[in-house]
Each structure stands twice: as C-alpha cells, then as structure tokens.
PDB file of all heavy atoms in Angstrom:
ATOM      1  N   VAL A  28      -7.010  -1.927  -1.542  1.00 98.00           N
ATOM      2  CA  VAL A  28      -8.257  -2.649  -1.280  1.00 98.00           C
ATOM      3  C   VAL A  28      -8.052  -4.135  -1.557  1.00 98.00           C
ATOM      4  O   VAL A  28      -7.571  -4.507  -2.627  1.00 98.00           O
ATOM      5  CB  VAL A  28      -9.407  -2.102  -2.156  1.00 98.00           C
ATOM      6  CG1 VAL A  28     -10.707  -2.826  -1.838  1.00 98.00           C
ATOM      7  CG2 VAL A  28      -9.579  -0.601  -1.946  1.00 98.00           C
ATOM      8  N   PHE A  29      -8.434  -4.981  -0.591  1.00 98.00           N
ATOM      9  CA  PHE A  29      -8.236  -6.424  -0.726  1.00 98.00           C
ATOM     10  C   PHE A  29      -9.538  -7.178  -0.453  1.00 98.00           C
ATOM     11  O   PHE A  29     -10.236  -6.892   0.516  1.00 98.00           O
ATOM     12  CB  PHE A  29      -7.160  -6.919   0.250  1.00 98.00           C
ATOM     13  CG  PHE A  29      -5.819  -6.273   0.043  1.00 98.00           C
ATOM     14  CD1 PHE A  29      -5.398  -5.247   0.881  1.00 98.00           C
ATOM     15  CD2 PHE A  29      -4.984  -6.673  -0.991  1.00 98.00           C
ATOM     16  CE1 PHE A  29      -4.174  -4.648   0.693  1.00 98.00           C
ATOM     17  CE2 PHE A  29      -3.754  -6.068  -1.183  1.00 98.00           C
ATOM     18  CZ  PHE A  29      -3.344  -5.052  -0.341  1.00 98.00           C
ATOM     19  N   TYR A  30      -9.828  -8.157  -1.319  1.00 98.00           N
ATOM     20  CA  TYR A  30     -10.982  -9.033  -1.130  1.00 98.00           C
ATOM     21  C   TYR A  30     -10.527 -10.435  -0.730  1.00 98.00           C
ATOM     22  O   TYR A  30     -11.346 -11.283  -0.418  1.00 98.00           O
ATOM     23  CB  TYR A  30     -11.810  -9.115  -2.412  1.00 98.00           C
ATOM     24  CG  TYR A  30     -12.132  -7.763  -3.005  1.00 98.00           C
ATOM     25  CD1 TYR A  30     -11.477  -7.304  -4.139  1.00 98.00           C
ATOM     26  CD2 TYR A  30     -13.090  -6.933  -2.417  1.00 98.00           C
ATOM     27  CE1 TYR A  30     -11.763  -6.057  -4.675  1.00 98.00           C
ATOM     28  CE2 TYR A  30     -13.383  -5.686  -2.944  1.00 98.00           C
ATOM     29  CZ  TYR A  30     -12.705  -5.250  -4.078  1.00 98.00           C
ATOM     30  OH  TYR A  30     -12.988  -4.020  -4.602  1.00 98.00           O
ATOM     31  N   SER A  31      -9.222 -10.645  -0.740  1.00 96.00           N
ATOM     32  CA  SER A  31      -8.629 -11.937  -0.403  1.00 96.00           C
ATOM     33  C   SER A  31      -7.852 -11.817   0.901  1.00 96.00           C
ATOM     34  O   SER A  31      -7.024 -10.914   1.047  1.00 96.00           O
ATOM     35  CB  SER A  31      -7.689 -12.398  -1.531  1.00 96.00           C
ATOM     36  OG  SER A  31      -6.756 -13.344  -1.066  1.00 96.00           O
ATOM     37  N   ILE A  32      -8.105 -12.732   1.829  1.00 94.00           N
ATOM     38  CA  ILE A  32      -7.398 -12.709   3.106  1.00 94.00           C
ATOM     39  C   ILE A  32      -5.912 -12.974   2.907  1.00 94.00           C
ATOM     40  O   ILE A  32      -5.069 -12.452   3.635  1.00 94.00           O
ATOM     41  CB  ILE A  32      -8.011 -13.734   4.095  1.00 94.00           C
ATOM     42  CG1 ILE A  32      -7.484 -13.505   5.518  1.00 94.00           C
ATOM     43  CG2 ILE A  32      -7.760 -15.154   3.634  1.00 94.00           C
ATOM     44  CD1 ILE A  32      -7.976 -12.276   6.186  1.00 94.00           C
ATOM     45  N   THR A  33      -5.576 -13.762   1.881  1.00 95.00           N
ATOM     46  CA  THR A  33      -4.172 -14.052   1.582  1.00 95.00           C
ATOM     47  C   THR A  33      -3.438 -12.800   1.140  1.00 95.00           C
ATOM     48  O   THR A  33      -2.324 -12.514   1.601  1.00 95.00           O
ATOM     49  CB  THR A  33      -4.058 -15.132   0.485  1.00 95.00           C
ATOM     50  OG1 THR A  33      -4.755 -16.305   0.914  1.00 95.00           O
ATOM     51  CG2 THR A  33      -2.605 -15.472   0.207  1.00 95.00           C
ATOM     52  N   ASP A  34      -4.063 -12.032   0.238  1.00 96.00           N
ATOM     53  CA  ASP A  34      -3.442 -10.791  -0.235  1.00 96.00           C
ATOM     54  C   ASP A  34      -3.345  -9.772   0.891  1.00 96.00           C
ATOM     55  O   ASP A  34      -2.357  -9.037   0.999  1.00 96.00           O
ATOM     56  CB  ASP A  34      -4.251 -10.210  -1.403  1.00 96.00           C
ATOM     57  CG  ASP A  34      -4.197 -11.094  -2.637  1.00 96.00           C
ATOM     58  OD1 ASP A  34      -3.257 -11.907  -2.737  1.00 96.00           O
ATOM     59  OD2 ASP A  34      -5.091 -10.971  -3.495  1.00 96.00           O
ATOM     60  N   PHE A  35      -4.367  -9.737   1.726  1.00 95.00           N
ATOM     61  CA  PHE A  35      -4.355  -8.825   2.870  1.00 95.00           C
ATOM     62  C   PHE A  35      -3.222  -9.181   3.827  1.00 95.00           C
ATOM     63  O   PHE A  35      -2.481  -8.317   4.294  1.00 95.00           O
ATOM     64  CB  PHE A  35      -5.709  -8.882   3.579  1.00 95.00           C
ATOM     65  CG  PHE A  35      -5.791  -8.085   4.845  1.00 95.00           C
ATOM     66  CD1 PHE A  35      -5.637  -6.710   4.836  1.00 95.00           C
ATOM     67  CD2 PHE A  35      -6.033  -8.713   6.063  1.00 95.00           C
ATOM     68  CE1 PHE A  35      -5.726  -5.966   6.008  1.00 95.00           C
ATOM     69  CE2 PHE A  35      -6.128  -7.986   7.244  1.00 95.00           C
ATOM     70  CZ  PHE A  35      -5.975  -6.612   7.212  1.00 95.00           C
ATOM     71  N   ALA A  36      -3.067 -10.479   4.095  1.00 92.00           N
ATOM     72  CA  ALA A  36      -2.011 -10.942   4.999  1.00 92.00           C
ATOM     73  C   ALA A  36      -0.639 -10.602   4.442  1.00 92.00           C
ATOM     74  O   ALA A  36       0.263 -10.190   5.184  1.00 92.00           O
ATOM     75  CB  ALA A  36      -2.132 -12.453   5.221  1.00 92.00           C
ATOM     76  N   ARG A  37      -0.460 -10.758   3.137  1.00 93.00           N
ATOM     77  CA  ARG A  37       0.831 -10.446   2.511  1.00 93.00           C
ATOM     78  C   ARG A  37       1.141  -8.955   2.660  1.00 93.00           C
ATOM     79  O   ARG A  37       2.268  -8.567   2.985  1.00 93.00           O
ATOM     80  CB  ARG A  37       0.811 -10.838   1.037  1.00 93.00           C
ATOM     81  CG  ARG A  37       2.163 -10.640   0.332  1.00 93.00           C
ATOM     82  CD  ARG A  37       2.106 -11.030  -1.141  1.00 93.00           C
ATOM     83  NE  ARG A  37       1.722 -12.427  -1.300  1.00 93.00           N
ATOM     84  CZ  ARG A  37       0.576 -12.841  -1.825  1.00 93.00           C
ATOM     85  NH1 ARG A  37      -0.324 -11.953  -2.232  1.00 93.00           N
ATOM     86  NH2 ARG A  37       0.317 -14.125  -1.953  1.00 93.00           N
ATOM     87  N   PHE A  38       0.147  -8.122   2.442  1.00 92.00           N
ATOM     88  CA  PHE A  38       0.345  -6.677   2.559  1.00 92.00           C
ATOM     89  C   PHE A  38       0.718  -6.299   3.993  1.00 92.00           C
ATOM     90  O   PHE A  38       1.653  -5.520   4.223  1.00 92.00           O
ATOM     91  CB  PHE A  38      -0.923  -5.940   2.141  1.00 92.00           C
ATOM     92  CG  PHE A  38      -0.809  -4.441   2.221  1.00 92.00           C
ATOM     93  CD1 PHE A  38      -0.317  -3.710   1.157  1.00 92.00           C
ATOM     94  CD2 PHE A  38      -1.186  -3.766   3.378  1.00 92.00           C
ATOM     95  CE1 PHE A  38      -0.195  -2.323   1.243  1.00 92.00           C
ATOM     96  CE2 PHE A  38      -1.069  -2.391   3.466  1.00 92.00           C
ATOM     97  CZ  PHE A  38      -0.573  -1.672   2.398  1.00 92.00           C
ATOM     98  N   VAL A  39      -0.008  -6.856   4.953  1.00 86.00           N
ATOM     99  CA  VAL A  39       0.258  -6.559   6.365  1.00 86.00           C
ATOM    100  C   VAL A  39       1.689  -6.941   6.735  1.00 86.00           C
ATOM    101  O   VAL A  39       2.384  -6.228   7.467  1.00 86.00           O
ATOM    102  CB  VAL A  39      -0.752  -7.293   7.273  1.00 86.00           C
ATOM    103  CG1 VAL A  39      -0.326  -7.195   8.733  1.00 86.00           C
ATOM    104  CG2 VAL A  39      -2.145  -6.715   7.089  1.00 86.00           C
ATOM    105  N   GLY A  40       2.143  -8.081   6.195  1.00 87.00           N
ATOM    106  CA  GLY A  40       3.486  -8.540   6.516  1.00 87.00           C
ATOM    107  C   GLY A  40       4.587  -7.705   5.901  1.00 87.00           C
ATOM    108  O   GLY A  40       5.684  -7.609   6.460  1.00 87.00           O
ATOM    109  N   GLU A  41       4.302  -7.086   4.756  1.00 87.00           N
ATOM    110  CA  GLU A  41       5.333  -6.348   4.023  1.00 87.00           C
ATOM    111  C   GLU A  41       5.282  -4.838   4.239  1.00 87.00           C
ATOM    112  O   GLU A  41       6.279  -4.141   4.030  1.00 87.00           O
ATOM    113  CB  GLU A  41       5.210  -6.636   2.521  1.00 87.00           C
ATOM    114  CG  GLU A  41       5.474  -8.092   2.158  1.00 87.00           C
ATOM    115  CD  GLU A  41       5.232  -8.374   0.682  1.00 87.00           C
ATOM    116  OE1 GLU A  41       4.748  -7.455  -0.030  1.00 87.00           O
ATOM    117  OE2 GLU A  41       5.514  -9.502   0.243  1.00 87.00           O
ATOM    118  N   CYS A  42       4.133  -4.320   4.651  1.00 85.00           N
ATOM    119  CA  CYS A  42       3.962  -2.864   4.747  1.00 85.00           C
ATOM    120  C   CYS A  42       4.677  -2.290   5.965  1.00 85.00           C
ATOM    121  O   CYS A  42       4.622  -2.860   7.063  1.00 85.00           O
ATOM    122  CB  CYS A  42       2.480  -2.527   4.807  1.00 85.00           C
ATOM    123  SG  CYS A  42       2.137  -0.758   4.766  1.00 85.00           S
ATOM    124  N   ASP A  43       5.338  -1.176   5.769  1.00 84.00           N
ATOM    125  CA  ASP A  43       6.046  -0.495   6.854  1.00 84.00           C
ATOM    126  C   ASP A  43       5.085   0.096   7.870  1.00 84.00           C
ATOM    127  O   ASP A  43       5.228  -0.077   9.073  1.00 84.00           O
ATOM    128  CB  ASP A  43       6.899   0.628   6.261  1.00 84.00           C
ATOM    129  CG  ASP A  43       8.362   0.440   6.590  1.00 84.00           C
ATOM    130  OD1 ASP A  43       8.661  -0.294   7.537  1.00 84.00           O
ATOM    131  OD2 ASP A  43       9.206   1.031   5.907  1.00 84.00           O
ATOM    132  N   PHE A  44       4.106   0.837   7.384  1.00 86.00           N
ATOM    133  CA  PHE A  44       3.161   1.494   8.274  1.00 86.00           C
ATOM    134  C   PHE A  44       1.904   1.877   7.508  1.00 86.00           C
ATOM    135  O   PHE A  44       1.914   2.020   6.285  1.00 86.00           O
ATOM    136  CB  PHE A  44       3.773   2.743   8.918  1.00 86.00           C
ATOM    137  CG  PHE A  44       4.378   3.697   7.935  1.00 86.00           C
ATOM    138  CD1 PHE A  44       3.617   4.676   7.319  1.00 86.00           C
ATOM    139  CD2 PHE A  44       5.714   3.607   7.617  1.00 86.00           C
ATOM    140  CE1 PHE A  44       4.184   5.547   6.403  1.00 86.00           C
ATOM    141  CE2 PHE A  44       6.291   4.483   6.706  1.00 86.00           C
ATOM    142  CZ  PHE A  44       5.523   5.446   6.092  1.00 86.00           C
ATOM    143  N   VAL A  45       0.806   2.009   8.226  1.00 90.00           N
ATOM    144  CA  VAL A  45      -0.462   2.429   7.634  1.00 90.00           C
ATOM    145  C   VAL A  45      -1.078   3.512   8.519  1.00 90.00           C
ATOM    146  O   VAL A  45      -0.770   3.622   9.701  1.00 90.00           O
ATOM    147  CB  VAL A  45      -1.450   1.257   7.474  1.00 90.00           C
ATOM    148  CG1 VAL A  45      -0.911   0.223   6.498  1.00 90.00           C
ATOM    149  CG2 VAL A  45      -1.756   0.600   8.808  1.00 90.00           C
ATOM    150  N   ASP A  46      -1.958   4.302   7.913  1.00 91.00           N
ATOM    151  CA  ASP A  46      -2.593   5.398   8.639  1.00 91.00           C
ATOM    152  C   ASP A  46      -4.070   5.139   8.929  1.00 91.00           C
ATOM    153  O   ASP A  46      -4.592   5.556   9.953  1.00 91.00           O
ATOM    154  CB  ASP A  46      -2.453   6.697   7.834  1.00 91.00           C
ATOM    155  CG  ASP A  46      -1.007   7.042   7.567  1.00 91.00           C
ATOM    156  OD1 ASP A  46      -0.360   7.588   8.470  1.00 91.00           O
ATOM    157  OD2 ASP A  46      -0.510   6.749   6.466  1.00 91.00           O
ATOM    158  N   PHE A  47      -4.727   4.452   7.988  1.00 95.00           N
ATOM    159  CA  PHE A  47      -6.169   4.196   8.124  1.00 95.00           C
ATOM    160  C   PHE A  47      -6.434   2.761   7.699  1.00 95.00           C
ATOM    161  O   PHE A  47      -6.034   2.347   6.617  1.00 95.00           O
ATOM    162  CB  PHE A  47      -6.965   5.167   7.241  1.00 95.00           C
ATOM    163  CG  PHE A  47      -8.457   5.131   7.462  1.00 95.00           C
ATOM    164  CD1 PHE A  47      -9.082   6.101   8.220  1.00 95.00           C
ATOM    165  CD2 PHE A  47      -9.236   4.117   6.900  1.00 95.00           C
ATOM    166  CE1 PHE A  47     -10.464   6.064   8.425  1.00 95.00           C
ATOM    167  CE2 PHE A  47     -10.613   4.078   7.103  1.00 95.00           C
ATOM    168  CZ  PHE A  47     -11.226   5.057   7.868  1.00 95.00           C
ATOM    169  N   VAL A  48      -7.116   2.002   8.559  1.00 96.00           N
ATOM    170  CA  VAL A  48      -7.393   0.592   8.291  1.00 96.00           C
ATOM    171  C   VAL A  48      -8.893   0.347   8.401  1.00 96.00           C
ATOM    172  O   VAL A  48      -9.527   0.740   9.377  1.00 96.00           O
ATOM    173  CB  VAL A  48      -6.663  -0.329   9.294  1.00 96.00           C
ATOM    174  CG1 VAL A  48      -6.911  -1.795   8.957  1.00 96.00           C
ATOM    175  CG2 VAL A  48      -5.176  -0.027   9.312  1.00 96.00           C
ATOM    176  N   CYS A  49      -9.443  -0.312   7.398  1.00 98.00           N
ATOM    177  CA  CYS A  49     -10.830  -0.742   7.419  1.00 98.00           C
ATOM    178  C   CYS A  49     -10.795  -2.253   7.216  1.00 98.00           C
ATOM    179  O   CYS A  49     -10.450  -2.721   6.128  1.00 98.00           O
ATOM    180  CB  CYS A  49     -11.617  -0.052   6.303  1.00 98.00           C
ATOM    181  SG  CYS A  49     -13.323  -0.626   6.148  1.00 98.00           S
ATOM    182  N   VAL A  50     -11.122  -3.025   8.246  1.00 98.00           N
ATOM    183  CA  VAL A  50     -10.905  -4.467   8.176  1.00 98.00           C
ATOM    184  C   VAL A  50     -12.109  -5.249   8.682  1.00 98.00           C
ATOM    185  O   VAL A  50     -12.683  -4.959   9.726  1.00 98.00           O
ATOM    186  CB  VAL A  50      -9.632  -4.865   8.961  1.00 98.00           C
ATOM    187  CG1 VAL A  50      -9.688  -4.398  10.401  1.00 98.00           C
ATOM    188  CG2 VAL A  50      -9.385  -6.364   8.898  1.00 98.00           C
ATOM    189  N   ASP A  51     -12.489  -6.241   7.892  1.00 98.00           N
ATOM    190  CA  ASP A  51     -13.585  -7.131   8.227  1.00 98.00           C
ATOM    191  C   ASP A  51     -13.041  -8.277   9.089  1.00 98.00           C
ATOM    192  O   ASP A  51     -12.230  -9.084   8.621  1.00 98.00           O
ATOM    193  CB  ASP A  51     -14.191  -7.677   6.924  1.00 98.00           C
ATOM    194  CG  ASP A  51     -15.429  -8.528   7.157  1.00 98.00           C
ATOM    195  OD1 ASP A  51     -15.700  -8.886   8.315  1.00 98.00           O
ATOM    196  OD2 ASP A  51     -16.110  -8.845   6.157  1.00 98.00           O
ATOM    197  N   VAL A  52     -13.473  -8.344  10.342  1.00 97.00           N
ATOM    198  CA  VAL A  52     -12.975  -9.370  11.259  1.00 97.00           C
ATOM    199  C   VAL A  52     -13.962 -10.525  11.408  1.00 97.00           C
ATOM    200  O   VAL A  52     -13.871 -11.315  12.354  1.00 97.00           O
ATOM    201  CB  VAL A  52     -12.639  -8.773  12.646  1.00 97.00           C
ATOM    202  CG1 VAL A  52     -11.535  -7.737  12.536  1.00 97.00           C
ATOM    203  CG2 VAL A  52     -13.885  -8.180  13.305  1.00 97.00           C
ATOM    204  N   SER A  53     -14.913 -10.636  10.467  1.00 94.00           N
ATOM    205  CA  SER A  53     -15.869 -11.737  10.519  1.00 94.00           C
ATOM    206  C   SER A  53     -15.166 -13.081  10.392  1.00 94.00           C
ATOM    207  O   SER A  53     -15.652 -14.097  10.886  1.00 94.00           O
ATOM    208  CB  SER A  53     -16.913 -11.593   9.403  1.00 94.00           C
ATOM    209  OG  SER A  53     -17.626 -10.383   9.564  1.00 94.00           O
ATOM    210  N   GLU A  54     -14.006 -13.079   9.694  1.00 88.00           N
ATOM    211  CA  GLU A  54     -13.157 -14.264   9.655  1.00 88.00           C
ATOM    212  C   GLU A  54     -12.159 -14.148  10.803  1.00 88.00           C
ATOM    213  O   GLU A  54     -11.435 -13.157  10.903  1.00 88.00           O
ATOM    214  CB  GLU A  54     -12.401 -14.343   8.330  1.00 88.00           C
ATOM    215  CG  GLU A  54     -13.293 -14.541   7.120  1.00 88.00           C
ATOM    216  CD  GLU A  54     -12.494 -14.473   5.828  1.00 88.00           C
ATOM    217  OE1 GLU A  54     -11.997 -15.521   5.384  1.00 88.00           O
ATOM    218  OE2 GLU A  54     -12.355 -13.365   5.299  1.00 88.00           O
ATOM    219  N   SER A  55     -12.110 -15.151  11.645  1.00 86.00           N
ATOM    220  CA  SER A  55     -11.279 -15.068  12.848  1.00 86.00           C
ATOM    221  C   SER A  55      -9.809 -14.832  12.536  1.00 86.00           C
ATOM    222  O   SER A  55      -9.086 -14.207  13.324  1.00 86.00           O
ATOM    223  CB  SER A  55     -11.430 -16.338  13.687  1.00 86.00           C
ATOM    224  OG  SER A  55     -11.055 -17.486  12.931  1.00 86.00           O
ATOM    225  N   ILE A  56      -9.336 -15.291  11.376  1.00 90.00           N
ATOM    226  CA  ILE A  56      -7.929 -15.124  11.020  1.00 90.00           C
ATOM    227  C   ILE A  56      -7.556 -13.650  10.840  1.00 90.00           C
ATOM    228  O   ILE A  56      -6.384 -13.261  10.958  1.00 90.00           O
ATOM    229  CB  ILE A  56      -7.599 -15.917   9.736  1.00 90.00           C
ATOM    230  CG1 ILE A  56      -6.076 -15.984   9.541  1.00 90.00           C
ATOM    231  CG2 ILE A  56      -8.287 -15.312   8.519  1.00 90.00           C
ATOM    232  CD1 ILE A  56      -5.651 -16.880   8.403  1.00 90.00           C
ATOM    233  N   ALA A  57      -8.554 -12.815  10.568  1.00 94.00           N
ATOM    234  CA  ALA A  57      -8.277 -11.391  10.365  1.00 94.00           C
ATOM    235  C   ALA A  57      -7.979 -10.685  11.684  1.00 94.00           C
ATOM    236  O   ALA A  57      -7.359  -9.616  11.697  1.00 94.00           O
ATOM    237  CB  ALA A  57      -9.464 -10.711   9.676  1.00 94.00           C
ATOM    238  N   ILE A  58      -8.392 -11.255  12.803  1.00 95.00           N
ATOM    239  CA  ILE A  58      -8.200 -10.602  14.102  1.00 95.00           C
ATOM    240  C   ILE A  58      -6.726 -10.510  14.491  1.00 95.00           C
ATOM    241  O   ILE A  58      -6.244  -9.423  14.829  1.00 95.00           O
ATOM    242  CB  ILE A  58      -9.040 -11.291  15.191  1.00 95.00           C
ATOM    243  CG1 ILE A  58     -10.531 -11.041  14.899  1.00 95.00           C
ATOM    244  CG2 ILE A  58      -8.671 -10.774  16.577  1.00 95.00           C
ATOM    245  CD1 ILE A  58     -11.493 -11.752  15.816  1.00 95.00           C
TER     246      ILE A  58
END
C-alpha cells in the first residue's frame, strides 16, 4: 500500500510482476 507517488513509482520500476492493482489516476503522472 502506497500513499506517495514516489514510493509507488519506485515499486513499479522494481517489481517483477503484480496480480491485482488498485491505483488512483487522479494525478496524471499515475497514468
């Protein structure tokens, strides 16, 4: 669980694969 876009971005960049994603795209950078 991430409340920071920076931490979320780091996880996305390092993670091999995910099965379930719940993501707030209200910030355009999250898209």
Side-chain angles (χ1 to χ4, degrees):
V28 182
F29 300 101
Y30 311 105
S31 159
I32 192 70
T33 303
D34 293 339
F35 175 63
R37 184 180 301 112
F38 180 87
V39 170
E41 296 175 354
C42 186
D43 239 340
F44 52 87
V45 296
D46 302 280
F47 189 101
V48 183
C49 175
V50 56
D51 185 348
V52 298
S53 299
E54 295 174 89
S55 59
I56 192 173
I58 292 175

